[in-house]
Amino acid sequence: MVLGAIAPDNWGDSLALRILKHISDRLGLKANDAVFCSPEVGFIPCNFSTTNCIVYSGTHDNNTTLGWYEDEMTDESRQKLWSYLGKNPDDSNVHWKLIGLAFSTIAYQAIVPMQDVLGVRERMNIPGVGEGNWQWRYSSIALTPEIGDRLKVLTEIYNRAPKR
């Protein structure tokens, strides 16, 4: 089975989740934003112990990578990130560093929201807020040839292209 059910690894280890994992051979979700703010070493990409997972830079319910980096990360977490990546690039480039990090993992799939690809801060949804969600839309002209080339290079470097 390729995909029976998906449950984030940070949901804990309840009996129901353990049963779901066992029955469905589910793929675990590993979020880049949890990696450098969580004390749990298992979330660090080099510690992924199975390909049976999906890594993502964010979802519709959390901040974009740029918003998270600029507004939510502590200085300590930011330092952990740059120590892990081995350098401190221009902060405006952080979304590409985390896209590359997601693509470089052994996870079965890497998922990147369009907001992270475009390097924007507009969120899709804020849980618990009744109005103003799901308003953001991308413009096709924002998908420049440079962005396409950059995604193509990462896809090829990390062998994420579909097998033919």
Side-chain angles (χ1 to χ4, degrees), residues 1-9 11 17 20-21 24-30 52-56 108-109 111:
M1 175 188 318
V2 173
L3 184 63
I6 298 174
D9 284 347
W11 276 6
L17 187 55
L20 176 65
K21 289 177 184 180
S24 68
D25 189 30
R26 66 78 161 131
L27 296 172
L29 295 177
K30 302 190 183 291
N52 194 32
C53 60
I54 297 172
V55 66
Y56 58 97
Y108 173 72
Q109 287 185 337
I111 298 173

Side-chain angles (χ1 to χ4, degrees), residues 16-128:
L17 187 55
R18 282 183 289 177
I19 291 169
L20 176 65
K21 289 177 184 180
H22 178 74
I23 292 172
S24 68
D25 189 30
R26 66 78 161 131
L27 296 172
L29 295 177
K30 302 190 183 291
N32 265 352
D33 65 357
V35 170
F36 301 99
C37 296
S38 171
E40 298 177 45
V41 177
F43 281 108
I44 297 175
C46 66
N47 290 337
F48 288 5
S49 60
T50 178
T51 59
N52 194 32
C53 60
I54 297 172
V55 66
Y56 58 97
S57 62
T59 73
H60 62 279
D61 277 342
N62 66 312
N63 210 341
T64 66
T65 293
L66 282 181
W68 164 74
Y69 178 80
E70 293 173 355
D71 301 336
E72 298 175 16
M73 278 189 96
T74 64
D75 289 340
E76 179 184 358
S77 294
R78 213 176 270 115
Q79 189 56 47
K80 284 182 192 175
L81 171 66
W82 298 130
S83 293
Y84 186 82
L85 294 173
K87 56 183 165 183
N88 187 355
D90 175 2
D91 288 345
S92 66
N93 205 21
V94 68
H95 59 291
W96 282 111
K97 294 296 180 190
L98 289 175
I99 291 170
L101 182 61
F103 278 35
S104 74
T105 68
I106 64 169
Y108 173 72
Q109 287 185 337
I111 298 173
V112 181
M114 184 63 75
Q115 293 97 318
D116 288 350
V117 170
L118 297 176
V120 299
R121 296 175 47 105
E122 288 82 6
R123 287 183 69 150
M124 187 60 77
N125 184 46
I126 299 175

Side-chain angles (χ1 to χ4, degrees), residues 140-151:
S140 61
I141 61 171
L143 292 173
T144 63
E146 293 78 21
I147 290 174
D149 291 344
R150 202 163 195 175
L151 284 171

